[in-house]
Amino acid sequence: MPVYLLGSLLWVALFVTSAPGQQRLQQSHPLVRDPAAAAAGRPLFVEKCSPCHGPNGEGGHGPSLIGGREIRRASDRQLFDSIKNGLPGTDMPGFPMPENDRWRMVAFIRSLNAPVAAQPLPGDVQAGSDIFWGRGGCSDCHSIRGQGGVLGPDLTDVAAIRRADQLKQAVLEPGVAVPDGFRAVEATLVDGSRVQGVAKFENNYTLRILDRGGRLHFLQKKKLADISFKKGSLMPGDYAERLSDGDIGNLLAFLSRQSLRKWEQE
């Protein structure tokens, strides 16, 4: 019998059975906001939950635990009780284990959905800063607090709006999810000249392109011979080859601190 956590009826059990005004208190535990506890919860999750939910909570036989509204709305106590008691009538059993281990598993599940600023990544932040502003070339296209380039997204608040997995993917696989306003494009004018950059705006009549020099071009489509949108991102996709694992870890640690809000580690 495979081991399951949070079966497909978890959401019904958590929310339908709790009528308005009868919601359980949003009880928590200090371990839930402890990055070390989340790290300790990962092997517990992998051992007991990965047959259903995947080693990183990405889903499989059971639902994904990443990005779902239901997980974000569930209280820490509700998640804890689901791990402890299981869900009657589903494939999900309860798990006998020390209470603090259950809280560590809750911490890990929370970390899957929390913005990375809430639990910054380990690494040498200063070394990551040196890579960002120096040999990594990141600041050629990205800015932080008004310094740097403009061709790529501003990263001043990136840690408050991206999860750890999203941040890592953006660095190592930038072409997987290109943000709106940053599609690579090349426009050829009727005189044969070309403009390359990212498309900031497009409608039936006009196209606005921001080039690598930071110049914004307002182009009328009737004066264009061709428009070619490129697949992927203008950002290099070879950082895994250009940088060591340690360098990438340090860069991600630096980016995980880029937030306008000060996050308290409870």
Side-chain angles (χ1 to χ4, degrees), residues 20-236:
Q22 297 178 340
Q23 296 280 350
R24 277 179 280 184
L25 294 175
Q26 301 290 306
Q27 299 178 34
S28 188
H29 189 280
L31 287 176
V32 175
R33 304 296 179 258
D34 182 355
R42 175 183 285 276
L44 296 170
F45 180 92
V46 170
E47 175 189 352
K48 299 181 181 299
C49 315
S50 61
C52 178
H53 297 284
N56 298 302
E58 67 273 21
H61 178 73
S64 171
L65 305 182
I66 301 174
R69 182 183 179 192
E70 293 84 359
I71 283 288
R72 295 196 302 270
R73 290 180 58 195
S75 71
D76 294 339
R77 173 57 67 175
Q78 286 172 323
L79 295 177
F80 177 93
D81 288 346
S82 296
I83 296 169
K84 178 180 179 180
N85 303 320
L87 293 175
T90 75
D91 290 325
M92 179 183 164
F95 293 93
M97 63 174 66
E99 179 173 308
N100 279 348
D101 280 352
R102 292 194 191 97
W103 284 119
R104 292 184 179 101
M105 289 178 68
V106 172
F108 174 69
I109 294 170
R110 283 289 186 232
S111 73
L112 296 175
N113 294 277
V116 68
Q119 295 182 346
L121 298 173
D124 187 328
V125 175
Q126 183 57 55
S129 175
D130 294 341
I131 292 170
F132 182 90
W133 298 107
R135 61 190 174 90
C138 310
S139 60
D140 292 344
C141 295
H142 298 281
S143 63
I144 294 177
R145 292 176 173 81
Q147 298 184 19
V150 297
L151 193 64
D154 186 296
L155 302 182
T156 301
D157 204 34
V158 67
I161 58 178
R162 291 287 183 264
R163 302 188 307 267
D165 63 307
Q166 293 173 322
L167 194 63
K168 183 176 182 180
Q169 183 184 71
V171 171
L172 298 181
E173 302 176 280
V176 172
V178 180
D180 291 341
F182 294 95
R183 286 190 301 164
V185 63
E186 179 180 275
T188 303
L189 282 69
V190 292
D191 64 4
S193 60
R194 297 179 179 181
V195 178
Q196 297 177 322
V198 294
K200 306 305 292 185
F201 175 82
E202 181 192 20
N203 61 21
N204 291 334
Y205 309 102
T206 62
L207 175 65
R208 299 177 191 172
I209 297 179
L210 183 68
D211 69 18
R212 290 184 179 275
R215 295 179 294 273
L216 188 61
H217 300 258
F218 293 79
L219 305 174
Q220 293 182 301
K221 285 189 172 181
K222 65 181 181 181
K223 296 182 179 180
L224 299 180
D226 182 64
I227 302 173
S228 176
F229 287 96
K230 309 298 183 181
K231 292 183 178 180
S233 170
L234 288 179
M235 178 174 166

